[in-house]
Amino acid sequence: YPGMKILSSAVMPGGYMLQGQAAASSAAVAGFFTSEMARHGWRDESPQAPAGLPMTSLRFVKDQRATGGNLIPDGDQVAVQIMITPSG
């Protein structure tokens, strides 16, 4: 997301984790990632959010890879967690 501050990144068993924070709403960040991932050929498999849950979950699949993310409102910002893993 443009202007997102990267707080940490790590190699995890079976994938990679990125954590950041953006000065935007969850809806704006989700819209950006959904649009950009589709533009690059990723299929959106994001789950429907249960009513009343403040966290937004995203999931995209392409070839043998999958990426998922959680967007968690934090005041006037949103915490962003992204995990990239082999598909399966």
Side-chain angles (χ1 to χ4, degrees):
Y1 186 80
M4 183 173 85
K5 180 180 177 183
I6 304 300
L7 302 176
S8 67
S9 63
V11 176
M12 306 291 287
Y16 304 92
M17 172 69 80
L18 176 75
Q19 295 184 326
Q21 193 165 34
S25 68
S26 293
V29 175
F32 172 82
F33 280 115
T34 299
S35 174
E36 287 298 302
M37 295 302 279
R39 189 167 72 87
H40 292 283
W42 291 75
R43 186 175 66 252
D44 186 354
E45 293 186 354
S46 299
Q48 181 69 32
L53 184 67
M55 182 176 75
T56 301
S57 292
L58 304 172
R59 178 175 165 78
F60 304 95
V61 176
K62 181 178 180 181
D63 303 324
Q64 296 301 309
R65 296 169 289 160
T67 184
N70 293 313
L71 309 176
I72 305 161
D74 185 16
D76 62 347
Q77 300 190 18
V78 62
V80 179
Q81 301 171 332
I82 300 170
M83 180 78 173
I84 301 171
T85 60
S87 188

